């Protein structure tokens, strides 16, 4: 254990020293620390600026419950499959083969993950001040909320250790563990969701639903929530009951861990190896299919690309690859996220008490803005970017501009299809006009063109040698510059419409945005026509 | 024929290749030998048209970045990069379609057999081991019947059978009039068939010998290599 401790402390020390040589990273950390301190001070002084508009504290309880689930469930589910990435390749190579007990190595891995997660949560401390302001809670209660999250992270790590101890690579036990977790976590959540929709979708309903007493009985998640809100509501019985339950859980886990025989190296090894390769690719700005598919088994049904000659073969190859990634070509997680977002926007606005015109406008406006914003995050994993990591696209004896168009064709079609599906469905469900739907689709698609061409320009400027951080920063800057003129024209039109009382025509402000975005994208494509001439173009 | 004239490749702070000039005739095997970091792979990538450079590179009379030159060039990278979601056979189909090849299937089957990939033809790129990926990469480059072939450390990761087969393929390519460049830091691996050797160090060609000149003078190539690379 001494050697592990030595390595752990040395790593922390060296990372701190390393910051000296990376001023940008150091500045970022200082900025985060200042935000955290600022947030803490803001939380302490927030009550001074309290207004009369205070939200029901049960909404906070609901949001807190969701937050706990979001933080914990992925970690726990990954533990069942031994997919946690708390070991690095250097650990596998150096520590796994060293004469150190597997339990100590697991404690080291889990401990490191714990530290990372706690630091991550602390970096969001400034949000505590928002809770203080919105729900009129004291700074002490805000601190309890944060400490609750930290305790939850510790408990999740204990659950992880318990799962590793119990499952230990045994497939039968892994499956049983999975079902137990699904039962404990998802059934109460499903019941709550059903209650939420039966009761009627509203913000108050959300608070009421997630404050239902039975949710407090869910092991660990519910107990923790019960303890935290027991403290906030000054309910001593709840504090005592949930404290005892949590302490008992901790004792049981540690005892089980001590008496169990564990053997998890094999399970961890493969995952660590592929994660290591993926991270290396990611850091060097590469996007690969494995990055998104992980260890997912791909079924090969139909063999052959079947179509294409010259440059357009690249497009048909992308279609073949897409058919392997998902059963329905062009529909993926992006489409699902978009549909869920649109549903949330639509139902959320439906629950408000503004008049019909405003509801319609707000719905389409938020769908366009948030939908285009979400698309931004998915646009960096386009097919054509994956081509850049391989020599073939440069070697193919075709005109580089043709290759560029064909290689990015799926990325140009994808936003159009997503836009058509999402805006049409949203239009039908939420009663939008045909004009709303068409302009919504056009703006959303045109943003897809912008993201695509901005991506191409970023590659042209930085090439494959640039770091991921610089690449993303530059990409964001280029996107901002590209869309700015269109957005300015749209804002001017909106102001004009509102001043003249024709706010119901606001959707037409989307027309100049989509036209501008398309034109500027075409120009960008033309300027970058030689990007596939060689790796450094 | 491959002609490289005054090739210089500079990165921001360093010079990877400096004033490299050499020619490879049809039916000739030239070996770029040198230690790690000598600039062999960079030179190969410049010839393949993957990097920007100063100087002149022509492939069968065409500038290396011309479409016609690309059509005549086969390149086997040091690190194979298959498409994760295409099967081995689809890799061949992709190359054949992209290069507009006709009647390529027989050649593809022959390559599969020689590299012992026939039973794996429907395996996806992501399921292949490093060695298999290297074999696919070799097959893709040779499928186009290139007039110039660039091999960057081709034997790394291959099993003994594949090494033997690849050596035979290289000799066959030479006999068919293909100009071949092989980059390697292991002279032993090419000792049986090299025609010309270019020993590189610090981005420059430090010595150039032909098999005939070495055989006539009785010079020890290995000694020459170490005298250059280790300063002995």
């Amino acid at each position: 254990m001494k050697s592990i401790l030595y390595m752990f402390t040395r790593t922390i020390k060296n990372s701190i020293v390393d910051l000296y040589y990376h001023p940008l990273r150091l500045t970022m950390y200082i900025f985060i620390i200042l935000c955290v301190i600022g947030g803490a001070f803001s939380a302490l002084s927030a009550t001074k600026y309290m207004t009369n508009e205070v939200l029901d504290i049960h909404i906070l309880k609901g949001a807190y419950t969701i937050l706990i689930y979001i933080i914990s469930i992925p970690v726990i589910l990954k533990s069942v499959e031994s997919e946690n990435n708390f070991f690095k390749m250097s650990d596998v190579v150096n520590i796994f083969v060293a004469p150190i007990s597997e339990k100590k190595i697991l404690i080291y891995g889990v401990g490191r993950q714990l530290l990372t997660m706690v630091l991550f949560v602390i970096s969001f401390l400034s949000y505590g001040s928002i809770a203080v302001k919105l729900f009129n809670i004291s700074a002490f209660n805000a601190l309890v909320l944060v400490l609750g999250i930290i305790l939850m992270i510790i408990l999740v790590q204990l659950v992880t250790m318990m799962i590793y101890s119990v499952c230990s690579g045994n497939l039968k036990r892994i499956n049983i563990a999975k079902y137990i977790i699904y039962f404990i976590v998802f059934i109460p959540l499903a019941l709550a969701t059903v209650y939420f929709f039966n009761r009627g979708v509203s913000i108050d309903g959300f608070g009421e639903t997630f404050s239902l007493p039975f949710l407090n009985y869910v092991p660990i998640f519910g107990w923790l929530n019960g303890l935290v809100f027991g403290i906030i509501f000054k309910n001593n019985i709840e504090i005592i009951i949930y404290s005892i339950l949590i302490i008992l859980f901790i004792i049981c886990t540690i005892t089980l861990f001590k008496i169990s025989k564990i053997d998890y190296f094999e399970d961890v090894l493969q995952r660590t190896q592929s994660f290591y390769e993926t991270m290396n690719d990611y850091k060097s700005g590469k996007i690969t299919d494995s990055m998104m598919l992980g260890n997912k088994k791909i079924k090969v049904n139909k063999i052959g690309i079947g179509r294409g000659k010259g440059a357009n073969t690249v497009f048909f190859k992308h279609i073949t690859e897409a058919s392997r990634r998902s059963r329905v070509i062009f529909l993926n997680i992006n489409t699902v996220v978009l549909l869920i977002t649109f549903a949330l926007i639509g139902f959320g606005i439906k629950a408000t008490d503004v008049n019909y015109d405003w509801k319609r406008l707000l719905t389409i406006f938020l769908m366009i803005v948030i939908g285009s914003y979400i698309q931004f995050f998915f646009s960096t994993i386009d097919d054509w970017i994956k081509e850049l990591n391989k020599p073939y696209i440069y070697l193919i004896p075709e005109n580089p501009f043709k290759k560029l168009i064909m290689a990015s064709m799926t990325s140009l079609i994808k936003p159009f299809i997503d836009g058509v599906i999402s805006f049409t469905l949203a239009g039908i469900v939420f009663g939008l006009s045909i004009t709303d739907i068409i302009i919504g689709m056009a703006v959303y698609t045109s943003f897809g063109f912008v993201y695509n061409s901005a991506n191409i320009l970023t590659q042209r400027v930085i090439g494959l040698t640039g770091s991921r951080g610089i690449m993303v920063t530059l990409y964001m800057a280029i996107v901002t510059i590209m869309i700015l003129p269109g957005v300015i024209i749209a804002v001017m039109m909106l102001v004009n419409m509102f001043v003249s009382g024709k706010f119901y025509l606001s959707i037409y402000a989307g027309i100049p945005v989509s036209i501008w975005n398309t034109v500027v994208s075409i120009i960008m494509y033309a300027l970058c026509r030689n990007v596939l001439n060689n790796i450094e173009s | 024929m491959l002609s490289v004239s005054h090739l210089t490749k500079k990165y921001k702070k360093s010079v990877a290749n400096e004033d490299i000039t050499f020619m490879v005739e049809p039916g000739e095997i030239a070996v770029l030998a040198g230690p790690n970091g000598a600039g062999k792979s960079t030179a190969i990538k410049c010839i393949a048209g993957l990097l920007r450079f100063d100087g002149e590179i022509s492939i069968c009379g065409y500038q290396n970045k011309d479409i016609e030159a690309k059509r005549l060039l086969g390149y086997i990278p040091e690190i194979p990069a298959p498409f994760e979601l295409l099967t081995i056979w689809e890799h061949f189909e992709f190359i054949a379609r992209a290069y507009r090849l006709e009647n390529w299937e027989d050649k593809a089957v022959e390559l599969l057999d020689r590299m012992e990939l026939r039973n794996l033809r429907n395996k996806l790129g992501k399921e292949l081991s490093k060695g298999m990926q290297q074999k696919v990469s070799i097959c893709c480059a040779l499928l186009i019947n290139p007039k110039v072939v660039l091999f960057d450390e081709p034997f790394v990761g291959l099993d003994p059978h594949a090494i033997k087969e690849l050596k035979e393929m290289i000799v066959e390519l030479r006999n068919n009039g293909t100009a071949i460049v092989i980059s390697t830091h292991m002279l032993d691996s090419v000792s049986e068939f090299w025609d010309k050797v270019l020993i590189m160090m610090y981005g420059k060609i430090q010595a150039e010998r032909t098999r005939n000149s070495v055989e006539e003078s009785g010079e020890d190539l290995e000694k020459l290599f170490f005298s250059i690379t280790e300063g002995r």
Side-chain angles (χ1 to χ4, degrees), chain B residues 90-135:
Chain B
E90 284 167 347
H91 276 79
F92 298 162
E93 188 190 343
F94 171 68
I95 292 292
R97 287 180 180 279
Y99 280 73
R100 300 172 191 270
L101 304 179
E102 300 287 340
N103 307 318
W104 53 274
E105 288 88 350
D106 290 345
K107 169 101 180 167
V109 170
E110 183 205 324
L111 287 166
L112 278 178
D113 283 340
R114 294 189 75 169
M115 283 289 157
E116 294 185 314
L117 291 171
R118 193 168 198 159
N119 295 334
L120 306 169
R121 56 185 281 168
N122 292 339
K123 261 205 177 278
L124 290 173
K126 77 190 276 263
E127 297 166 350
L128 302 176
S129 69
K130 285 268 146 64
M132 287 178 201
Q133 291 181 4
Q134 178 73 342
K135 288 179 182 180

Side-chain angles (χ1 to χ4, degrees), chain A residues 279-318:
Chain A
M279 282 317 285
N280 272 353
D281 284 345
Y282 185 76
K283 279 181 193 166
S284 59
K286 287 181 189 169
I287 302 289
T288 62
D289 273 309
S290 301
M291 217 175 253
M292 280 156 282
L293 295 167
N295 293 328
K296 187 184 163 192
K297 190 91 188 135
I298 304 289
K299 246 190 176 178
V300 180
N301 294 323
K302 187 180 152 260
I303 304 274
I305 297 170
R307 280 170 293 175
K309 255 215 155 77
N312 66 20
T313 313
V314 182
F315 169 68
F316 291 112
K317 179 179 83 72
H318 288 162

Side-chain angles (χ1 to χ4, degrees), chain A residues 332-454:
Chain A
N332 59 8
I333 184 72
N334 187 9
T335 322
V336 176
V337 171
L338 199 63
L339 286 171
I340 292 172
T341 310
F342 280 15
L344 288 174
I345 293 169
F347 285 118
I349 294 193
K350 221 175 174 184
T352 60
D353 47 8
V354 291
N355 70 38
Y356 171 77
D357 276 340
W358 274 106
K359 268 186 190 172
R360 189 181 61 79
L361 269 179
L362 275 173
T363 306
I364 189 68
F365 181 75
L366 286 177
M367 280 176 184
I368 290 173
V369 173
I370 298 174
S372 303
Y373 182 65
I374 289 171
Q375 193 190 162
F376 172 84
F377 294 100
F378 285 97
S379 61
T380 50
I381 48 175
D382 287 337
D383 284 333
W384 80 273
I385 296 177
K386 289 179 220 151
E387 293 295 336
L388 304 182
N389 307 321
K390 306 181 195 302
Y392 303 106
I393 193 76
Y394 307 103
L395 295 172
I396 292 171
E398 291 286 327
N399 179 300
F401 192 38
K402 253 192 203 171
K403 287 195 276 186
L404 179 64
I405 299 279
M406 286 303 156
S408 55
M409 189 58 84
T410 50
S411 315
L412 297 172
I413 295 173
K414 168 80 178 143
F416 173 71
I417 291 180
D418 276 347
V420 168
I421 293 173
S422 312
F423 282 95
T424 309
L425 282 177
I428 294 165
V429 175
F430 302 112
L432 303 175
S433 69
I434 301 225
T435 317
D436 291 340
I437 295 170
I438 290 172
I439 294 178
M441 281 177 204
V443 177
Y444 181 84
T445 309
S446 74
F447 268 99
F449 298 161
V450 168
Y451 297 148
N452 225 323
S453 50

Side-chain angles (χ1 to χ4, degrees), chain A residues 398-406 453 456-457 460 521-534 537:
Chain A
E398 291 286 327
N399 179 300
F401 192 38
K402 253 192 203 171
K403 287 195 276 186
L404 179 64
I405 299 279
M406 286 303 156
S453 50
I456 292 167
L457 184 63
R460 182 136 171 73
S521 302
I522 292 169
I523 293 170
M524 211 53 90
Y525 258 79
L527 289 174
C528 299
R529 62 191 176 279
N530 287 325
V531 75
L532 294 180
N533 210 9
N534 60 57
S537 285

Side-chain angles (χ1 to χ4, degrees), chain A residues 120-235:
Chain A
F120 180 73
V121 167
I122 288 175
S123 67
F124 284 94
L125 206 64
S126 49
Y127 287 99
S129 63
I130 297 173
V132 171
K133 284 173 187 162
L134 284 177
F135 300 98
N136 194 17
I137 58 170
S138 66
F140 170 75
N141 286 342
L143 186 67
V144 169
L145 289 171
V146 174
L147 290 177
I149 299 274
I150 293 172
L151 178 60
M152 188 64 217
I153 293 168
I154 295 170
L155 293 174
V156 166
Q157 306 311 318
L158 287 173
V159 175
T160 302
M161 279 168 50
M162 190 172 77
I163 291 169
Y164 270 75
S165 309
V166 174
C167 295
S168 205
N170 183 316
L171 204 66
K172 205 174 164 188
R173 290 185 196 169
I174 289 172
N175 281 332
I176 294 171
K178 248 195 257 180
Y179 290 125
I180 292 174
I181 291 166
Y182 289 149
F183 182 77
I184 291 177
V185 175
F186 293 115
I187 289 191
L189 271 185
L191 288 173
T193 312
V194 170
Y195 178 86
F196 177 59
F197 281 104
N198 278 345
R199 191 208 163 276
V201 179
S202 70
I203 296 281
D204 290 335
F206 171 77
E208 191 186 311
T209 304
F210 286 96
S211 300
L212 289 170
F214 77 87
L215 285 174
N216 280 359
Y217 308 145
V218 178
I220 313 155
F221 304 96
W223 301 344
L224 191 274
N225 210 355
L227 175 65
V228 167
F229 281 87
I231 296 171
I232 291 173
F233 294 139
K234 297 188 176 69
N235 184 333

Side-chain angles (χ1 to χ4, degrees), chain B residues 126-220:
Chain B
K126 77 190 276 263
E127 297 166 350
L128 302 176
S129 69
K130 285 268 146 64
M132 287 178 201
Q133 291 181 4
Q134 178 73 342
K135 288 179 182 180
V136 173
S137 186
I138 291 167
C139 294
C140 285
L142 300 187
L143 184 68
I144 63 167
N145 291 317
K147 291 285 165 227
V148 174
V149 187
L150 309 170
F151 289 97
D152 196 354
E153 303 285 359
F155 304 109
V156 176
L158 291 183
D159 57 48
H161 171 83
I163 290 175
K164 184 179 138 273
E165 202 62 48
L166 179 59
K167 283 180 178 179
E168 281 175 24
M169 282 173 165
I170 290 171
V171 172
E172 282 167 28
L173 284 167
R174 174 176 63 186
N175 295 342
N176 289 334
T178 308
I180 300 160
V181 179
I182 303 172
S183 135
T184 182
H185 53 261
M186 295 180 291
L187 277 175
D188 284 354
S189 62
V190 290
S191 60
E192 305 139 46
F193 49 72
W194 65 274
D195 296 314
K196 182 188 273 179
V197 66
L198 306 145
I199 301 175
M200 288 187 71
M201 186 76 183
Y202 305 126
K204 293 181 189 170
I205 293 177
Q206 306 285 353
E208 182 174 341
R209 300 286 187 275
T210 60
R211 185 177 277 274
N212 288 342
S213 71
V214 169
E215 281 172 357
E216 276 169 21
S217 65
E219 191 178 23
D220 186 332

